Amino acid sequence: MSVPAHRTLVLGGARSGKSAHAEGLLPPEGAATYAATARRDPDDPEWNRRIAEHVARRPDDWRTVETPEPAALVELLDNALGTDPPILVDDLATWLTGALDDAGAWEGADSALETVERQRGELVRACASCRARLVLVSAEVGLGVVPGNRAARLFRDELGALNARLAEVCDEVLLLVAGLPLRLR
């Protein structure tokens, strides 16, 4: 009998099924904490529909905690106990976007990038030491051509670095391609 992974990283491209697959890794019945990293935008109805689709899939006994600020997610993970319900974080690409926004990193200031690097390190540390069952969802964006603009390259590079560091501390790493999970570890 195999022991279930304590920390799982689920990677995938846009609409690959990564979120639904990650949700399916948790017990079908029982409590869970869903850490939602998206920032709501009242002026973006399409984005709000996407969020509503995710909310509609969640079982009634799951608790949603909105963690759009980088420190809020770290705090949630740091405070988790081994007896707590599993935590599902969806998704780290939106968490990183918020961190880049808050730091003003899109303009490329070294101090802003240092802030994001520090926050990334805090998140990886919190994931590694989280005592609850943890499932992380993140986009995989580095499989295509080098983007033609600075902001897209920055995002791709920063997310790739975050995913690589998280993969180091996770017991299980999955990649969803066309809805199919591939076990990387």
Side-chain angles (χ1 to χ4, degrees):
M1 182 169 132
S2 66
V3 175
H6 181 68
R7 284 178 289 278
T8 301
L9 175 60
V10 180
L11 302 167
R15 298 295 188 179
S16 64
K18 61 189 176 291
S19 294
H21 186 81
E23 292 164 8
L25 295 175
L26 300 182
E29 309 232 348
T33 298
Y34 187 102
T37 63
R39 294 180 178 191
R40 295 179 183 270
D41 182 352
D43 298 324
D44 189 343
E46 188 272 337
W47 182 245
N48 293 327
R49 276 192 300 278
R50 284 177 180 247
I51 291 172
E53 289 172 9
H54 278 250
V55 171
R57 274 200 319 252
R58 292 179 210 151
D60 292 336
D61 48 357
W62 284 18
R63 174 177 72 113
T64 298
V65 178
E66 296 199 9
T67 57
E69 287 76 32
L73 179 56
V74 169
E75 182 179 346
L76 174 73
L77 300 177
D78 280 343
N79 291 325
L81 301 174
T83 55
D84 285 348
I87 299 171
L88 189 149
V89 178
D90 195 2
D91 107 331
L92 293 170
T94 55
W95 177 88
L96 177 64
T97 299
L100 291 164
D101 285 346
D102 293 350
W106 301 111
E107 290 76 35
D110 287 343
S111 61
L113 294 175
E114 289 168 6
T115 297
V116 173
E117 185 176 340
R118 180 183 47 74
Q119 290 173 326
R120 190 175 62 222
E122 289 172 4
L123 177 62
V124 171
R125 179 209 44 80
C127 289
S129 63
C130 183
R131 292 174 285 182
R133 165 76 167 111
L134 182 60
V135 178
L136 305 164
V137 178
S138 188
E140 181 55 66
V141 297
L143 300 175
V145 298
V146 175
N149 67 69
R150 185 192 176 291
R153 286 189 301 274
L154 172 68
F155 179 75
R156 179 208 56 186
D157 293 349
E158 291 295 317
L159 186 59
L162 175 61
N163 288 345
R165 292 207 40 216
L166 287 169
E168 291 174 0
V169 302
C170 286
D171 309 301
E172 178 179 51
V173 181
L174 305 172
L175 175 65
L176 269 281
V177 178
L180 302 173
L182 303 171
R183 182 172 306 282
L184 304 179
R185 172 175 331 141

